[in-house]
Amino acid sequence: QVQLVESGGGLVQPGGSLKLSCAASGFTISRYFMRWFRQAPGKERELVAGIRTISVLTNYADSVKGRFTISRDNAKNTVYLQMNSLKPEDTAVYYCNALGTSDYWGQGTQVTVSS
């Protein structure tokens, strides 16, 4: 059974850090373009970061450049999103996505940045 399971979300103060994990099962992430999206209340889902397969090239939304880092561990079949210098506007549900021969989504994990 194909699954993407996100974890690591929670409540953090502005300026703090969180590291999200996305554990995949039922397929191999090394063959997929892995991405993180987020969706805040009342807003559309937006792409936050992506990491390609062989080249491991990364891309980021302008709003998170310099603060967020996406990485992958193919041996663990897991993708990560390190989030530093968090701001209240980063508050959203964060989703993991695998794009390749199929398109898989996780259930999301809530990130709340508030004092």
Side-chain angles (χ1 to χ4, degrees):
Q1 182 180 2
V2 170
Q3 270 192 314
L4 286 173
V5 179
E6 301 99 333
S7 61
L11 174 64
V12 64
Q13 291 187 343
S17 298
L18 283 175
K19 186 174 184 178
L20 305 183
S21 299
C22 172
S25 58
F27 72 102
T28 303
I29 69 165
S30 61
R31 300 179 179 180
Y32 284 76
F33 180 25
M34 300 301 296
R35 301 181 294 179
W36 285 96
F37 287 77
R38 68 185 180 187
Q39 188 167 18
K43 295 188 176 181
E44 293 187 354
R45 190 172 295 190
E46 64 171 346
L47 176 64
V48 175
I51 184 166
R52 297 193 177 274
T53 53
I54 298 175
S55 65
V56 204
L57 286 175
T58 57
N59 62 282
Y60 298 93
D62 288 343
S63 58
V64 306
K65 280 181 182 177
R67 300 188 298 122
F68 289 12
T69 303
I70 187 171
S71 61
R72 64 195 301 158
D73 186 333
N74 290 338
K76 294 183 178 180
N77 223 29
T78 300
V79 177
Y80 305 96
L81 186 67
Q82 177 67 47
M83 305 186 295
N84 299 327
S85 301
L86 283 161
K87 304 175 181 180
E89 51 264 43
D90 294 319
T91 295
V93 178
Y94 284 71
Y95 297 91
C96 180
N97 168 254
L99 182 63
T101 53
S102 298
D103 190 5
Y104 303 125
W105 289 89
Q107 82 290 347
T109 185
Q110 176 70 47
V111 172
T112 302
V113 185
S114 175
S115 55

